[in-house]
Amino acid sequence: MLILHWHDIVGFCGIAMILVAYLLLQIDFIRSDSLVYSLLNGLGASCVIFSLFFDFNLSAFLMEVFWVIISLIGIVRYVTRKRQLGPELRK
């Protein structure tokens, strides 16, 4: 019998965010350099990491840590690009 705990649900939500981000990218709804894409990936990976604290798996943990780091790089690049644009082009 499968028993779901609340932290498992948090992990499943994280997986859903990552998969939705990838789906939206593949159907050209968002771009890979968009803030939404990086946020969905980073938040999703963070949720998976949170769930791993309750049922630890080193390889999954390392994968998600790097997923968060890569997402943070994307967020920083997005913010940097927006700051380089003039205020009239940020809209």
Side-chain angles (χ1 to χ4, degrees):
M1 182 172 151
L2 179 65
I3 299 173
L4 287 180
H5 299 282
W6 67 273
H7 51 85
D8 294 322
I9 295 170
V10 171
F12 291 147
C13 289
I15 291 168
M17 283 185 248
I18 294 169
L19 291 175
V20 165
Y22 190 55
L23 172 65
L24 294 176
L25 177 69
Q26 292 303 312
I27 62 172
D28 293 326
F29 193 80
I30 59 175
R31 295 170 33 130
S32 62
D33 61 350
S34 71
L35 182 60
V36 171
Y37 184 72
S38 293
L39 287 174
L40 280 171
N41 275 297
L43 185 58
S46 297
C47 288
V48 174
I49 288 171
F50 178 81
S51 72
L52 287 171
F53 285 125
F54 297 89
D55 190 12
F56 192 74
N57 178 316
L58 181 60
S59 59
F61 177 79
L62 290 174
M63 178 70 169
E64 299 306 323
V65 166
F66 283 104
W67 210 259
V68 169
I69 291 169
I70 292 167
S71 297
L72 288 173
I73 291 169
I75 292 167
V76 168
R77 287 180 50 124
Y78 176 86
V79 170
T80 302
R81 273 194 319 271
K82 288 298 180 183
R83 285 187 180 165
Q84 289 174 349
L85 295 175
E88 65 280 351
L89 298 176
R90 288 187 196 161
K91 299 176 184 173

